[in-house]
Amino acid sequence: MVPHLITALTGPINELEQRVLDSMPAIERWFRLEWMEHTPPFYSAVDIRNAGFKLAPVDTNLYPGGWNYLTPEMLPLAVQAAQAAIEKICPEARNLLVIPENHTTRNTFYLSSVAQLQRIFHMAGLNVRVGSIDPAIKKTTTVELPHGEHVTLEPVIRGRRRLGLKDFDPCTILLNNDLAAGIPGILEDIHEQYLLPPLHAGWSVRRKSNHFHSYEEVSKRFGKLLGIDPWLINPMFGKCGEVNFAEGPGMDCLSSNVDALLTKIRRKYKEYGINEKPFVVVKADNGTSGKGIMTVRDAKDLEALGRKSRTDFGKAGQEVSDLIIQEGVLTNERMNDAVAEPVVYMMDRYVVGGFYRVHAERGVDESLNAPGSRFVPLAFAESTRLPQPGMKPGASAPNRFYMYGVIGRLAMLAASYELEATDPDAEIYD
C-alpha cells in the first residue's frame, strides 16, 4: 500500500522521480564509487518527508530501534546485509553481543526490536546474546514479549580490555544504545574488540548540524550528477549554541537565525511557485527522541520557548543549550486520512526495509515521532522487483520506494562523511 499524496501528481517531485529513474545506472555507479572511499555506518534509519514539491531527510538515527516493524518478507535482505557487514569487519566472528538502551525492562515494544536484531544476526550465522550495561540489571533477566516471544538480558562483565558475559566472549559488540546520557566508562578503552557504531556516533558527542552539513555536501554532488537543484532533496539549516531559554541569553541569535532561514525558504518557494507558508523546526542539536521539537512560522513564536524548561528538549534528563534550526518539510502523504512519513532502514550499504510512521492527530508541519503514532510496514513485498522505468511518476510502489531508498542512502553516506570528520582517533595531516 502506498499512501496517496494530496498534492497533484505534477511538479518538481515527479520531475525528480523521472530524473532519478532515468539516471539509475549512473546513480548506482556513483554509490558504488562512494562506498569504495567511505565506510557506511553499521546500521541506520532515516526519516523522510515528501512534500510533493520536495523530498528530503529530516533525521538520521545511527542506533535505530523499530526493527520489529519490518515485514517478514524483508528479513532475508536484512540477514544478507548483516552477513556482508560482519564479513567486512570481523570475518572470523562467532559471537556477537548486543547492548540495548537502559531502563527498558518494561518497554516491550523496544525489546521486541532487540529480539528482531538478535534473530537477524542469528540467521546470519552468529551466536547472539543481549548484554545490559544498566546498573539495575544485576542478574540474568528474562522479559516476556507480545506474541509469545521473550528476550534475555544479562549483566555485562568488563575485563581488562574486553567486554563480555559469563561464559561468552564476543568478537563484536553492537550498540543499540544511543549514549544520550554520556559514554559510560565500561565502554571506553576497548582495544581488542570491534565496537559498532563507534562511541563518537553517540548523542552525547554527535550533533545534527554536523550531519546536515555533510548531507548538504552530498546533496550538492548528487544534484550535479543528476542536473537538479540540490534544494529539492536538502533541508536548509542553521544552528545556535549556548541558548538559555529561561534567562534569555542566546535568544537573539536564535531569533535572527530563524528569520534568516525563513527568508531563504520564502525565496525558494517563490522560485518554484509554491503557495505554502514556510516554517522551520527548532530542536536540540543532539538526539531528542522526538522530545521538544517546535514548529516556528515566525520569530515571534520563539517567545513560547522561554516558557519551556531546558530539559523539555532533551533525552535522559539532559539539559539542552545547542539548537539546530532546520527548514521545515511538509509531509503531504496520507494513509486513511492520517498524516504519514516513510522511515527507511539500512544495514551496511543496503536498504533492508522500512515503514510509514502514521499519526492521526498531527498536522502536516509537525513531527510524527510522538506518542500516538503507529507504524505501517512499507509495501516492500513487491519491492524486490526492479524499479519500473516507463511507469507514470507516483503510480508505482517500486518507483516510489526506490526514490526513498536513494534519499535514505544519501543520508547514510552523509553519516559516513560525518563520522569520518568527527573521529577523534583519525590522523590529521597538514
Side-chain angles (χ1 to χ4, degrees):
M1 178 180 182
V2 183
H4 63 276
L5 281 167
I6 62 170
T7 50
L9 289 175
T10 58
I13 206 68
N14 282 338
E15 293 170 22
L16 174 63
E17 181 175 320
Q18 196 64 59
R19 188 71 60 91
V20 166
L21 291 172
D22 292 344
S23 307
M24 188 167 60
I27 290 170
E28 295 306 322
R29 177 179 181 273
W30 185 81
F31 274 121
R32 282 197 302 273
L33 294 175
E34 287 292 329
W35 296 131
M36 289 174 69
E37 299 291 331
H38 304 282
T39 302
F42 189 82
Y43 55 8
S44 54
V46 178
D47 295 355
I48 297 173
R49 306 272 283 201
N50 189 349
F53 55 84
K54 180 176 182 129
L55 180 71
V58 293
D59 209 1
T60 300
N61 186 353
L62 299 182
Y63 300 88
W67 292 94
N68 49 313
Y69 297 118
L70 302 190
T71 63
E73 293 85 355
M74 285 298 94
L75 279 185
L77 274 181
V79 170
Q80 287 180 325
Q83 287 173 326
I86 290 292
E87 283 169 12
K88 284 198 314 193
I89 294 157
C90 185
E92 70 279 9
R94 181 179 298 141
N95 296 335
L96 176 75
L97 179 64
V98 177
I99 296 183
E101 295 276 3
N102 291 353
H103 314 300
T104 57
T105 51
R106 295 183 181 179
N107 189 345
T108 57
F109 292 105
Y110 170 72
L111 289 178
S112 293
S113 170
V114 173
Q116 181 83 305
L117 272 178
Q118 191 170 13
R119 185 179 302 113
I120 288 168
F121 285 100
H122 175 75
M123 293 168 70
L126 294 167
N127 300 314
V128 189
R129 283 162 69 174
V130 181
S132 178
I133 58 173
D134 185 345
I137 303 294
K138 300 186 187 313
K139 61 180 181 179
T140 299
T141 303
T142 299
V143 181
E144 300 298 325
L145 303 176
H147 313 299
E149 293 182 299
H150 68 270
V151 66
T152 299
L153 305 173
E154 302 177 67
V156 166
I157 299 169
R158 173 67 191 250
R160 186 177 174 189
R161 305 187 83 180
R162 297 180 75 84
L163 277 184
L165 305 175
K166 185 179 180 182
D167 303 322
F168 187 76
D169 185 29
C171 156
T172 304
I173 298 156
L174 179 61
L175 284 177
N176 198 242
N177 181 318
D178 66 14
L179 308 179
I183 298 171
I186 195 170
L187 297 179
E188 293 182 319
D189 300 320
I190 296 173
H191 299 291
E192 298 176 356
Q193 291 167 306
Y194 295 95
L195 185 64
L196 303 166
L199 293 178
H200 69 282
W203 279 127
S204 57
V205 178
R206 187 178 175 226
R207 294 294 178 266
K208 294 177 190 285
S209 53
N210 288 336
H211 175 72
F212 283 101
H213 176 76
S214 294
Y215 185 82
E216 186 173 48
E217 180 185 344
V218 167
S219 65
K220 285 177 181 176
R221 297 182 56 230
F222 187 76
K224 189 175 180 181
L225 174 74
L226 262 61
I228 62 166
D229 180 354
W231 178 76
L232 294 173
I233 57 171
N234 177 41
M236 298 184 287
F237 75 96
K239 64 169 290 187
C240 273
E242 299 303 318
V243 177
N244 187 314
F245 305 122
E247 297 173 18
M251 293 298 287
D252 288 344
C253 164
L254 186 57
S255 181
S256 62
N257 271 275
V258 165
D259 255 344
L261 190 52
L262 284 171
T263 299
K264 288 181 183 178
I265 302 169
R266 287 188 196 102
R267 197 174 296 133
K268 279 295 184 183
Y269 279 20
K270 185 175 181 182
E271 178 183 340
Y272 283 94
I274 296 163
N275 295 316
E276 300 284 353
K277 188 174 173 70
F279 67 100
V280 299
V281 173
V282 178
K283 53 189 174 181
D285 202 11
N286 59 352
T288 63
S289 192
K291 290 188 67 178
I293 297 173
M294 183 178 183
T295 299
V296 180
R297 294 183 177 278
D298 190 294
K300 293 175 186 173
D301 297 345
L302 294 171
E303 293 174 9
L305 270 178
R307 295 191 290 272
K308 280 183 172 285
S309 84
R310 300 178 71 181
T311 54
D312 282 349
F313 276 76
K315 181 182 176 184
Q318 301 302 296
E319 292 190 348
V320 174
S321 62
D322 291 347
L323 299 176
I324 182 171
I325 305 106
Q326 190 176 56
E327 174 187 356
V329 181
L330 298 167
T331 178
N332 275 323
E333 299 204 64
R334 292 288 188 281
M335 186 167 282
N336 299 326
D337 294 325
V339 178
E341 66 184 11
V343 184
V344 175
Y345 275 63
M346 289 158 290
M347 192 173 291
D348 193 60
R349 58 193 180 98
Y350 304 102
V351 175
V352 298
F355 53 79
Y356 282 102
R357 183 183 286 119
V358 182
H359 205 303
E361 298 174 7
R362 288 270 167 148
V364 295
D365 61 351
E366 293 181 291
S367 169
L368 306 188
N369 186 10
S373 62
R374 60 190 181 89
F375 307 97
V376 179
L378 286 169
F380 268 129
E382 59 179 24
S383 73
T384 48
R385 298 183 350 221
L386 293 175
Q388 301 168 314
M391 289 286 288
K392 189 168 79 172
S396 159
N399 286 357
R400 175 78 64 83
F401 297 150
Y402 180 70
M403 280 258 293
Y404 292 162
V406 168
I407 298 299
R409 285 184 288 165
L410 290 174
M412 176 170 58
L413 179 59
S416 174
Y417 284 26
E418 169 200 359
L419 292 179
E420 289 169 10
T422 57
D423 184 354
D425 297 322
E427 294 186 32
I428 301 173
Y429 300 92
D430 293 328

